[in-house]
Amino acid sequence: MSSTFEHHPDPSAGPLAQGAAPQHTDHSTVAPGEIAVGVVIGRASEYFDFFVFGIASVLVFPSVFFPFENRLDGLLLSFVIFALAFVARPFGTALFMAIQRRWSRGTKLTAALFLLGSSTVGMAFLPGYDTLGGHAIALLAFFRILQGIALGGSWDGLPSLLALNTPPGRRGWYAMLGQLGAPIGFMLASALFLFLHANLSNDDFLNWGWRYPFFVAFAINVVALFARLRLVVTEEYTKLLEERELEPIGMFEMLRKQDHNIFLGAFAALASYALFHLVTVFPLSWITLNATQSVNNVLIVQVVGAVVGILGTIASGFIADRIGRRTTLGLLAILIGIFSFFAPWLLGGQQAAQDAFILIGFALLGLSYGQAAGTVTSNFPIRFRYAGAALTSDLAWLIGAAFAPLVALSLSSKFGLGAVSLYLLSGAICTLGALRLNRALEARD
């Protein structure tokens, strides 16, 4: 069984299979830095789309699509629709892997990002409940499912390729680059909503202002599409993928041959994914629901928190290259577990305590999420990494993050903020358990 984090090469497989720098002279030349740029641009555009929806789920959708419910129930229903994309992601991965096998990577990526942008801009044109009634809710859910399918299909293999083309002493650094898109996307989405919410009346914001971030998301996807296609469809990139044997394996074959690696990899990063929406989407919902501070103040703190998350993600690359990715993830899981015990006191306190919850949470998120890709890129034999990385990430998001705002808000509203502690603690325990299991399997092998 292959290691979850540190790939153990087959001595007979040669330097390519071992993830070392290729030695033959006709090897195509694509610099890791060039791949990294494509990774950051692609992930930032995708996460911007998703965070625009997440923020709108708190600030807009309860009033526009669920005006017949009280504020809490409207938020919970919005979070149900929010979770649909994560349920749809694995199906999107399977569908678009088949498209790639039938046609090409360029066709797959173009179709996926066109679908992602179209479904996002479709939400911008969607009338509210007062105009379409229940059909508005059904269309919102439909577009959200399409977003999830599209995001599953937008996997381009760049992070896997990047991991296989970096010097061994720099793997933590380059693994972090693939994760930078998340805090960057959240920072941009939060800043845009902050600008609109601060400069428009509440009526104007709910009538038309909230739609602009969805239009911007479409424009960003167009730019990102051309930036990524410029790299993905080149002869050098195609040859490099073929040399690395990164293939779009079918999902049934993946589950049949690599099910242990898929689930072990998903649970090994669970602490990061459990924390993700509990410091981004959930605090905004909890604070606005209880009116302990203004929406604008929360958005300002979250923009600052995203910057902290970016710095934490960058720092994780340095740390992981010195102490190892597995050690980094394990250490951060312990810190997240400790943080979980303080969550009720911080989030349930005054403004300063709530702000501290967001900022500390983002710092831990950046440090841990920055190396979560290690569980994806090193978990599989090379041939299975392209599809395995996508499916493992899908399941990690589904298990750890998809229902986090819904579960945390629902339980916290009934039983108190101790539910947030339990959710975070469970993610930390799962990560430590998966790391422990991986070590035991590694020792057995």
Side-chain angles (χ1 to χ4, degrees):
M1 183 176 295
S2 62
S3 167
T4 302
F5 296 94
E6 306 301 334
H7 177 65
H8 293 279
D10 179 356
S12 66
L16 289 180
Q18 295 179 28
Q23 301 298 318
H24 49 81
T25 56
D26 65 341
H27 181 77
S28 39
T29 56
V30 179
E34 187 177 358
I35 301 174
V37 171
V39 171
V40 174
I41 291 175
R43 297 302 170 267
S45 66
E46 294 163 2
Y47 284 120
F48 179 83
D49 278 39
F50 260 54
F51 283 125
V52 162
F53 191 98
I55 296 172
S57 295
V58 177
L59 301 183
V60 178
F61 296 160
S63 299
V64 174
F65 294 99
F66 304 104
F68 51 89
E69 296 286 356
N70 60 47
R71 178 67 179 175
L72 173 60
D73 290 339
L75 280 168
L76 293 175
L77 289 171
S78 296
F79 286 154
V80 170
I81 296 179
F82 175 79
L84 293 177
F86 299 95
V87 177
R89 275 184 67 163
F91 298 98
T93 296
L95 172 63
F96 280 92
M97 286 291 177
I99 290 175
Q100 179 175 337
R101 291 195 300 274
R102 176 64 176 84
W103 287 284
S104 67
R105 282 181 304 279
T107 300
K108 167 197 168 182
L109 189 60
T110 301
L113 293 183
F114 180 79
L115 179 60
L116 181 61
S118 299
S119 57
T120 302
V121 81
M123 298 173 186
F125 287 108
L126 189 59
Y129 182 86
D130 291 340
T131 302
L132 289 183
H135 293 93
I137 300 173
L139 285 172
L140 181 65
F142 174 71
F143 285 133
R144 182 59 175 168
I145 291 171
L146 290 183
Q147 269 193 330
I149 292 173
L151 189 60
S154 66
W155 180 252
D156 50 23
L158 288 174
S160 296
L161 191 61
L162 182 61
L164 292 171
N165 284 271
T166 56
R170 299 280 287 168
R171 286 173 182 166
W173 171 259
Y174 281 99
M176 148 308 270
L177 292 174
Q179 308 298 85
L180 261 181
I184 291 175
F186 182 76
M187 179 185 67
L188 295 176
S190 298
L192 184 53
F193 268 103
L194 172 62
F195 175 80
L196 293 169
H197 194 271
N199 289 279
L200 297 175
S201 67
N202 188 62
D203 288 341
D204 285 343
F205 178 76
L206 291 178
N207 285 334
W208 54 269
W210 67 271
R211 302 176 187 274
Y212 278 89
F214 289 84
F215 290 124
V216 172
F218 179 80
I220 289 177
N221 266 295
V222 172
V223 174
L225 171 62
F226 284 105
R228 294 164 77 179
L229 284 178
R230 178 180 172 274
L231 179 61
V232 168
V233 301
T234 60
E235 180 180 352
E236 292 83 3
Y237 178 87
T238 300
K239 186 176 180 182
L240 195 54
L241 274 176
E242 292 172 351
E243 289 173 347
R244 292 302 200 184
E245 299 180 344
L246 293 172
E247 303 176 19
I249 307 297
M251 293 300 104
F252 288 110
E253 182 179 356
M254 282 296 309
L255 291 173
R256 186 173 66 253
K257 295 183 177 180
Q258 295 293 319
D259 55 344
H260 52 284
N261 280 333
I262 291 171
F263 288 100
L264 191 60
F267 279 94
L270 211 60
S272 299
Y273 288 94
L275 182 62
F276 206 99
H277 287 147
L278 291 184
V279 298
T280 54
V281 178
F282 173 71
L284 183 61
S285 67
W286 179 263
I287 294 172
T288 56
L289 179 65
N290 293 278
T292 53
Q293 56 176 299
S294 70
V295 170
N296 291 343
N297 286 342
V298 181
L299 289 174
I300 290 172
V301 174
Q302 291 199 310
V303 170
V304 176
V307 174
V308 173
I310 292 171
L311 296 176
T313 303
I314 294 172
S316 75
F318 292 104
I319 295 171
D321 282 338
R322 283 156 179 78
I323 67 174
R325 284 175 290 173
R326 178 164 53 192
T327 302
T328 301
L329 278 178
L331 176 61
L332 266 298
I334 293 172
L335 293 177
I336 290 171
I338 295 172
F339 175 68
S340 70
F341 291 104
F342 294 92
W345 176 72
L346 292 173
L347 200 52
Q350 299 299 315
Q351 179 175 338
Q354 293 174 340
D355 295 348
F357 173 86
I358 295 172
L359 296 176
I360 296 171
F362 265 107
L364 294 174
L365 177 63
L367 291 168
S368 60
Y369 185 71
Q371 295 305 309
T375 66
V376 173
T377 56
S378 300
N379 201 23
F380 302 91
I382 291 178
R383 176 173 174 263
F384 292 97
R385 285 192 183 186
Y386 181 83
L391 188 57
T392 303
S393 178
D394 292 344
L395 291 180
W397 279 109
L398 176 60
I399 298 169
F403 299 98
L406 175 65
V407 172
L409 183 60
S410 177
L411 294 180
S412 296
S413 63
K414 294 181 180 179
F415 305 109
L417 287 168
V420 177
S421 293
L422 292 177
Y423 199 97
L424 284 175
L425 188 60
S426 66
I429 292 172
C430 286
T431 289
L432 293 172
L435 293 173
R436 179 69 176 175
L437 177 60
N438 175 77
R439 180 173 295 179
L441 294 173
E442 188 179 75
R444 186 193 69 179
D445 292 342

